[in-house]
Amino acid sequence: MKVFWEKGYEASSTDDLCKATGLGRSSLYNAFGNKHDLYKRTLKKYHEQWMAVQLNILTQPIPVKKRIENLFTWSMDRDFEKNSNGCFLIKASVERSQSDSDVQKWGDVHAKFLEQTLLKIVNEGIESHEIESEKTVNDLVQSLLCSYYGLRTLNATIRNKKVAEQMVQATMTNIA
């Protein structure tokens, strides 16, 4: 995963993958099939790994708005860690979603999972009167998703933590 994450799919050579896994070419192919099959596995693993983390953040027994803010803060902190490569699925989607249905699939699965989780959380916030808005639940969730993925993408491109912090504050203000 690290090789694909750092270099992208196209720039990752079989030699790079052999070095990273410690396998020879034939062992690599025997274990994973071809380069694309290995890539699909890394996309799935990334989704499973980071959705578990995000789900944990969003299901903590704390106020709803704090959980949502914690998700944004967590992603911002991850994006600005030393040697961060940003979100692997966003990076893969930018590189290959137009030409690779597997990248599109895992990007969609990831976004749908986050959307469904946020729907539950926002509904919980509305029912508890922690979130009071004239917007529909769906509109609030779509706004959160747009802000979340926009933040992750901007963090990878403009690399300005102050701007990211302002975006998180603005997002939180928007959900009243």
Side-chain angles (χ1 to χ4, degrees):
M1 184 186 309
K2 186 177 178 186
V3 172
F4 289 130
W5 201 341
E6 288 175 357
K7 294 185 168 199
Y9 178 81
E10 296 298 333
S12 297
S13 69
T14 303
D15 287 339
D16 293 331
L17 298 170
C18 288
K19 286 178 193 168
T21 61
L23 298 172
R25 280 182 185 267
S26 62
S27 296
L28 182 76
Y29 291 127
N30 286 335
F32 300 108
N34 58 36
K35 176 181 168 180
H36 193 261
D37 288 341
L38 177 57
Y39 189 59
K40 288 190 298 190
R41 286 184 183 198
T42 64
L43 294 168
K44 181 179 188 273
K45 175 125 177 103
Y46 179 88
H47 164 73
E48 292 168 349
Q49 178 181 349
W50 294 113
M51 277 292 94
V53 171
Q54 292 171 359
L55 185 60
N56 184 52
I57 291 167
L58 290 170
T59 57
Q60 293 293 308
I62 58 176
V64 167
K65 284 190 207 178
K66 187 64 179 163
R67 287 184 255 164
I68 293 168
E69 183 179 4
N70 287 349
L71 174 69
F72 278 81
T73 301
W74 166 82
S75 66
M76 183 178 57
D77 290 345
R78 294 247 347 126
D79 289 344
F80 287 99
E81 286 176 352
K82 185 178 178 181
N83 300 322
S84 172
N85 289 313
C87 174
F88 179 44
L89 277 172
I90 290 174
K91 190 173 182 178
S93 293
V94 168
E95 180 188 15
R96 298 186 53 79
S97 69
Q98 297 299 313
S99 61
D100 188 330
S101 62
D102 292 306
V103 171
Q104 187 174 24
K105 170 193 162 189
W106 284 109
D108 288 348
V109 167
H110 201 77
K112 290 287 184 206
F113 184 90
L114 186 55
E115 178 181 26
Q116 293 303 310
T117 304
L118 286 170
L119 273 169
K120 290 176 191 170
I121 304 298
V122 170
N123 268 320
E124 182 183 331
I126 288 172
E127 288 173 9
S128 69
H129 301 288
E130 185 182 341
I131 297 174
E132 295 188 18
S133 177
E134 293 182 17
K135 296 176 186 171
T136 67
V137 171
N138 193 53
D139 286 347
L140 288 169
V141 169
Q142 295 306 313
S143 179
L144 286 169
L145 284 172
C146 185
S147 295
Y148 182 76
Y149 286 112
L151 175 70
R152 300 297 310 263
T153 303
L154 283 174
N155 289 348
T157 56
I158 64 172
R159 307 291 306 151
N160 186 325
K161 193 166 184 177
K162 279 259 191 254
V163 169
E165 289 167 347
Q166 291 169 344
M167 287 179 63
V168 171
Q169 287 176 341
T171 298
M172 296 312 299
T173 300
N174 286 335
I175 62 167

